[in-house]
Amino acid sequence: MKAAPVTIFNSRNMLVLVVLALALLPLVFGSFSISLLNDIGIGALVALGLVLLTGVGGATSFGQAAFVGIGAYGTAWLTTTQGVSPWLGLLFALLLTGLAAFAIGALTLRLSGHYLPLSSIAWGLSIALLFGNVEALGRHSGLSNISPLALGPWSLADPRSIYYLIWTLVGLACLFSHNVLQSRAGRAIRALRGGSTLLASVGADAFRVRLSLFVMAALLAGLAGWLYAHMNRFVSPSPFDVRASIEYLLMAVAGGLGQLAGALVGSALVMLLKNGLQDVLPLLSQRGAQLETVVFAALFILLLHHARGGLMGFVTRWRQWRTARQPQAVPRQAPATPLARRQLPSRGTPVLSVERAVKRFGGLVAVNDVSFAVNAAEIIGLIGPNGAGKSTMFNLLTGTAPMSAGRVQFLGQDVTGRSQREIARLGMARTFQHVKLRPHMSLLDNVALGAHARANCGMLLAGLGLDGAEERQIFAEAQAQLERIGLGERGDELAGSLPLGTQRILEIARALAADPVLLVLDEPAAGLRRKEKQDLGELLRKLRDEGVTILIVEHDMDFVMKLVDRLVVMNFGAKLVEGVPAAVRADPQVQAAYLGDGV
Ligand code: ADP
Ligand code: MG
């Protein structure tokens, strides 16, 4: 491992500097600047949620201000009408925001493409309208005389004192979010952009991951709303409308959707700019407020064209350039006990049986009445010309696509119609013909994702930093699988930097991290060099000797013939023949199907 270059610009020093500066600012600044910093902190909480939800999770929300509003109105209503402590108001605000997000998320998060952001505009608008029309919430005049916060005998009514609470909460929220991203839940969140098939293949539920992320982002907004209400001591509908939501999104984009610090930087940028514009624009025109919208719109467009990474994107690039930073392997402690392993079925017992499987795509019958069986600790090859239906067959038996007719039995259970996630959790792990890796995650993180179903820690434990023991187990397993495929030294590199052939092998490591009974490999040797193919063959044989069952699609006949115990040949969706390699090679039907394909 290379030593980190010595520099005063490393992240730790930067962090200490930022915290010190924030702690000392109230001693230097006047009340006006402190109030501005308070607004920046509150904005940063909301933007932090958006960096997670939109930047990392890939779900754009144009309604985040509505959650701020729910938190603010929740505590405002409870504390003014019931006269209870604002701290009870905090619990109420978070509960309300969480429930609202859960309900809205459950209804909308299955929407794909543009429909999800569009739906967020709809609920964002309706919630803001609700605030302005409910009698108990004071309609358009809002609620006033909200009590200020107090910590025991200390009143936090003064901007200078609530400042410390706001920024402590911002710090804690950043720490929590950082911990979550580095955890089992965080790997699933970071894999969301890879699609639900990828997540289901490691036994995770993309919808649930997205829903918990959505709730977490909303809770951050709700917390911001609670602070807002007790700081301003007055709430009205307009700060929570869709225009405000767009401003929060602008913060996240301007700061940088790719990293947590982007939320802080973006909030500061937007708030300072807004403040500056409010001073300058009225001098230029009487319609200052409208001009402000125009300036923000122009800024948004500029950012999307020239700085998608936001301000933090530039900072990161500059730092990489200054320090020529090498990726660093994180030294990890060995776990007390390794992850529990599955009991593999004894050699020769039936593992998988496909009975009369049919798959139709409209008029095309991609798989037509195919049956075959696989026994424990066997390697079965599925071969056939391009378009024969092999990948489709794999999708049927892994539950990735529903069957039109037929049955699949796995480990003595009928898994026909079961979800891909359930089948994966039973012990079937797969790789994809079109590689599904997360290019911006490290090799180690990609492989650790494979062990998802073997662990339990969720977002809350991870955020609080209580998942250490389990994470050590997961990473020990991931490291072991990386070493198995010969990439043990390169765990901290990004998966996207590997050549395509090696990415396929990395998918095998991810599948192995699930401790599978049956390994389903779709063209794993495509794009590999001779030596790499030999290594792969050796690895697969070794796995078979350890009792793993393997089903493989492969085009390289030399490779397949030397590797497998039996072959199933498909052509035009139907099964042509089945048998040991030598018999299949000699079969005239197979030779005809492959004519010119070099068998
Ligand atoms: P192989 O993996 O053997 O090359 P595939 O299983 O990918 O073959 O494809 C079998 C046939 O099914 C092809 O004709 C292909 O065009 C068709 N096919 C595969 N997936 C789909 C789909 N999602 N929709 C429509 N047709 C499909
Ligand atoms: Mg295929």
Side-chain angles (χ1 to χ4, degrees):
M1 200 173 75
K2 285 194 185 115
V6 180
T7 162
I8 56 162
F9 286 105
N10 69 28
S11 316
R12 186 172 297 261
N13 291 354
M14 281 300 257
L15 194 65
V16 172
L17 270 177
V18 169
V19 171
L20 258 177
L22 282 170
L24 295 179
L25 278 178
L27 306 179
V28 197
F29 279 0
S31 296
F32 177 77
S33 309
I34 295 301
S35 293
L36 189 61
L37 281 169
N38 288 343
D39 289 339
I40 292 175
I42 290 178
L45 283 174
V46 189
L48 186 64
L50 283 173
V51 165
L52 294 170
L53 180 69
T54 306
V56 184
T60 308
S61 163
F62 286 102
Q64 220 58 10
F67 291 129
V68 184
I70 293 177
Y73 268 99
T75 191
W77 176 80
L78 189 78
T79 52
T80 51
T81 59
Q82 313 297 316
V84 298
S85 144
W87 297 100
L88 221 62
L90 173 62
L91 283 185
F92 186 65
L94 291 182
L95 189 74
L96 221 54
T97 321
L99 283 176
F102 186 84
I104 293 172
L107 286 174
T108 63
L109 288 176
R110 285 192 206 276
L111 294 174
S112 57
H114 299 305
Y115 296 106
L116 180 63
L118 281 178
S119 76
S120 74
I121 296 180
W123 56 256
L125 276 174
S126 15
I127 293 174
L129 270 175
L130 202 70
F131 295 143
N133 286 289
V134 174
E135 192 62 57
L137 300 182
R139 292 182 180 266
H140 286 283
S141 41
L143 297 171
S144 46
N145 291 327
I146 302 169
S147 50
L149 294 176
L151 257 180
W154 296 292
S155 159
L156 303 183
D158 167 53
R160 219 169 277 272
S161 41
I162 200 174
Y163 170 91
Y164 285 103
L165 176 67
I166 292 176
W167 283 94
T168 306
L169 288 176
V170 171
L172 291 175
C174 285
L175 186 66
F176 188 93
S177 309
H178 175 81
N179 286 347
V180 165
L181 283 184
Q182 302 306 315
S183 72
R184 167 179 178 268
R187 284 187 292 277
I189 291 171
R190 285 185 284 156
L192 273 174
R193 282 166 183 267
S196 49
T197 301
L198 163 62
L199 280 167
S201 79
V202 298
D205 183 341
F207 176 69
R208 260 173 55 185
V209 174
R210 200 175 288 122
L211 186 57
S212 22
L213 179 63
F214 188 69
V215 171
M216 176 173 166
L219 287 176
L220 287 169
L223 177 64
W226 174 76
L227 285 167
Y228 177 94
H230 293 287
M231 181 177 81
N232 293 312
R233 306 184 55 190
F234 166 69
V235 292
S236 67
S238 70
F240 312 121
D241 60 11
V242 167
R243 216 177 98 162
S245 290
I246 293 175
E247 228 168 76
Y248 288 125
L249 203 55
L250 180 63
M251 286 177 189
V253 174
L257 279 172
Q259 40 207 318
L260 299 180
L264 296 180
V265 175
S267 177
L269 205 67
V270 170
M271 288 291 184
L272 290 173
L273 189 68
K274 211 167 113 170
N275 215 269
L277 288 176
Q278 276 163 4
D279 289 344
V280 175
L281 291 179
L283 303 178
L284 302 177
S285 151
Q286 283 170 338
R287 297 189 169 165
Q290 275 135 321
L291 266 185
E292 189 188 314
T293 315
V294 174
V295 172
F296 274 127
L299 181 71
F300 224 140
I301 293 170
L302 268 177
L303 275 170
L304 293 180
H305 268 291
H306 299 292
R308 293 240 176 114
L311 203 60
M312 282 309 290
F314 288 120
V315 174
T316 313
R317 241 173 290 158
W318 175 75
R319 266 181 39 197
Q320 277 168 351
W321 169 76
R322 262 191 64 91
T323 59
R325 207 160 56 113
Q326 296 289 329
Q328 289 285 308
V330 189
R332 290 188 187 268
Q333 263 174 291
T337 52
L339 281 177
R341 302 207 81 87
R342 242 182 269 273
Q343 178 82 42
L344 292 177
S346 52
R347 190 170 300 273
T349 52
V351 167
L352 178 82
S353 97
V354 178
E355 294 155 26
R356 314 202 62 167
V358 178
K359 178 67 184 179
R360 293 186 203 95
F361 293 111
L364 177 93
V365 189
V367 171
N368 189 3
D369 203 11
V370 176
S371 306
F372 65 95
V374 184
N375 296 329
E378 257 189 329
I379 303 183
I380 303 289
L382 187 59
I383 63 170
N386 263 329
K390 308 176 298 289
S391 293
T392 307
M393 185 70 242
F394 273 14
N395 286 340
L396 297 185
L397 58 91
T398 52
T400 312
M403 283 206 269
S404 307
R407 257 164 39 110
V408 178
Q409 300 238 36
F410 180 53
L411 298 173
Q413 296 188 43
D414 189 346
V415 295
T416 322
R418 293 251 202 118
S419 73
Q420 187 193 358
R421 188 174 70 91
E422 285 173 291
I423 297 175
R425 282 180 171 255
L426 284 177
M428 197 188 296
R430 71 170 297 186
T431 65
F432 296 90
Q433 180 175 356
H434 303 288
V435 177
K436 288 187 193 290
L437 285 167
R438 296 316 298 140
H440 295 296
M441 280 164 67
S442 68
L443 304 195
L444 206 55
D445 275 346
N446 268 289
V447 178
L449 184 64
H452 187 90
R454 298 171 70 186
N456 300 305
C457 280
M459 240 181 212
L460 187 62
L461 283 182
L464 298 174
L466 298 175
D467 60 343
E470 194 182 83
E471 281 292 285
R472 283 196 287 281
Q473 289 181 316
I474 293 177
F475 275 96
E477 173 74 24
Q479 182 62 32
Q481 299 304 349
L482 266 186
E483 275 159 21
R484 214 170 195 177
I485 59 165
L487 295 175
E489 304 281 294
R490 301 173 61 182
D492 52 349
E493 290 178 29
L494 296 184
S497 67
L498 295 178
L500 195 60
T502 319
Q503 292 191 12
R504 291 180 182 286
I505 305 299
L506 187 64
E507 277 208 329
I508 299 182
R510 183 180 68 204
L512 287 174
D515 184 31
V517 176
L518 175 65
L519 197 55
V520 179
L521 307 175
D522 200 346
E523 304 202 14
L528 291 189
R529 287 189 288 257
R530 248 179 91 83
K531 169 78 174 71
E532 292 168 325
K533 278 190 190 174
Q534 279 173 5
D535 292 346
L536 174 63
E538 252 166 59
L539 170 67
L540 297 182
R541 272 182 223 108
K542 206 167 134 258
L543 286 170
R544 169 181 57 190
D545 295 341
E546 289 169 18
V548 179
T549 313
I550 299 169
L551 184 59
I552 178 171
V553 163
E554 191 42 67
H555 273 298
D556 182 332
M557 283 305 141
D558 262 356
F559 179 80
V560 164
M561 292 289 173
K562 281 187 209 146
L563 178 71
V564 302
D565 299 302
R566 265 187 309 133
L567 278 167
V568 175
V569 188
M570 284 180 74
N571 197 18
F572 296 119
K575 185 166 105 175
L576 203 57
V577 291
E578 180 178 344
V580 295
V584 166
R585 194 194 283 269
D587 192 291
Q589 275 178 294
V590 176
Q591 287 179 352
Y594 271 98
L595 208 61
D597 239 10
V599 170

